[in-house]
Amino acid sequence: MSELKKLKRAALFVQKRAKISPKIGLVLGSGLSDALGKLEREQRFSWAKIPNFPQPTVVGHAGEWVFGILEKKSVLISRGRVHFYEGYSMSEIAFPIRVMKLLGIERVILTNAAGAINTDLKVGDLVLIRDHINTIPDNPLRGENIAELGPRFPNLLDAYSARLRALAKEAARDVGLELREGVYIATPGPMYETPAEIEAYKRLGADLVGMSTVPEVIAARHCGLEVLAISVVTNMAAGIGADKLTHEEVLEITKRREHDLAKLLRAIVARFS
Ligand code: HPA
């Protein structure tokens, strides 16, 4: 079956069952999947049930889509995502984003946990991604172009919408939260970086480092979705902070910042037209 057919089949399955048709999508990353709590008119779809959706490779949490009302707006929230380091193909990583597009989503807010390379940032900071550098050795657009979704050679200028970033800053001000801005470098993972890699990334112009988001942004921009992306700084990157990095630390900090992230996301969604 062609990729487009697989996407359409998944979209049709959801469309038939969903009671609302949102234009706003949110992707909640590592440790952030519960951030927004229960929605009004909530309707949940396990990825295990949606045809052709990426399935978990190991026992653990499958992804889930939640439809509902947030700040009086219809939203589709993706709780969890799949990563390159788990062994998923780029088509699998892009799949949920592309189905969002087929469902009529126009804007996506992606969230993640990231390490800070720039020493002006600190643990716990919420950071708008202004631009990215990609070191993941594959991307969802390689291979035959799905022309129905977008062009063969898409632009990544303004990939992280300046308009939405300005709106997010106003929203942060509304709720009294500090919102920083920076360049995110995506690495394939799953190992954290070496201090020498972090030093190199710093010289390349990266402020933040993480193992997700960029493939989704590439897929989203290809099909014309407007993108906003927010990192939660969970640690200073390797060699910058004194400590050894652990996934437990990443999850602990995201848990601690979940409340403020939710406050920010609500304020942003409230400002969306
Ligand atoms: N490196 C890569 N990915 C990450 C980090 C990091 O330091 N922290 C959270 N995700």
Side-chain angles (χ1 to χ4, degrees), residues 45-113:
F45 296 87
S46 161
W47 285 15
K49 299 261 168 64
I50 311 175
N52 307 320
F53 255 58
Q55 300 304 319
T57 48
V58 288
V59 183
H61 288 292
E64 180 180 58
W65 268 5
V66 185
F67 284 72
I69 311 291
L70 185 72
E71 300 294 322
K72 302 196 176 83
K73 309 277 159 60
S74 294
V75 295
L76 163 47
I77 298 178
S78 185
R79 296 173 75 195
R81 56 153 60 90
V82 293
H83 302 85
F84 184 70
Y85 64 75
E86 294 176 90
Y88 291 97
S89 70
M90 283 292 161
S91 303
E92 289 174 299
I93 295 168
F95 201 88
I97 296 289
R98 288 172 163 163
V99 175
M100 282 189 183
K101 170 70 181 183
L102 296 182
L103 289 173
I105 296 285
E106 294 172 353
R107 269 157 283 164
V108 282
I109 307 176
L110 304 163
T111 64
N112 62 40

Side-chain angles (χ1 to χ4, degrees), residues 58-189:
V58 288
V59 183
H61 288 292
E64 180 180 58
W65 268 5
V66 185
F67 284 72
I69 311 291
L70 185 72
E71 300 294 322
K72 302 196 176 83
K73 309 277 159 60
S74 294
V75 295
L76 163 47
I77 298 178
S78 185
R79 296 173 75 195
R81 56 153 60 90
V82 293
H83 302 85
F84 184 70
Y85 64 75
E86 294 176 90
Y88 291 97
S89 70
M90 283 292 161
S91 303
E92 289 174 299
I93 295 168
F95 201 88
I97 296 289
R98 288 172 163 163
V99 175
M100 282 189 183
K101 170 70 181 183
L102 296 182
L103 289 173
I105 296 285
E106 294 172 353
R107 269 157 283 164
V108 282
I109 307 176
L110 304 163
T111 64
N112 62 40
I117 297 175
N118 186 329
T119 50
D120 289 341
L121 298 173
K122 57 186 189 305
V123 170
D125 276 354
L126 301 175
V127 188
L128 277 178
I129 299 179
R130 180 176 67 237
D131 205 344
H132 76 228
I133 300 170
N134 190 16
T135 76
I136 302 178
D138 198 358
N139 74 73
L141 307 186
R142 197 169 78 85
E144 193 181 343
N145 183 45
I146 307 175
E148 291 83 350
L149 292 179
R152 172 74 291 188
F153 299 107
N155 246 276
L156 286 179
L157 286 167
D158 201 33
Y160 301 82
S161 163
R163 185 182 81 82
L164 292 188
R165 279 186 283 128
L167 181 149
K169 283 181 193 161
E170 285 168 19
R173 225 169 292 136
D174 283 351
V175 291
L177 286 171
E178 193 186 9
L179 187 55
R180 311 294 306 271
E181 199 168 274
V183 172
Y184 176 95
I185 189 161
T187 67

Side-chain angles (χ1 to χ4, degrees), residues 113-115 192-193 209-211 234-235 237 245 250:
Y192 292 112
E193 301 69 33
V209 58
M211 305 171 192
T234 54
N235 56 280
L245 308 181
V250 168

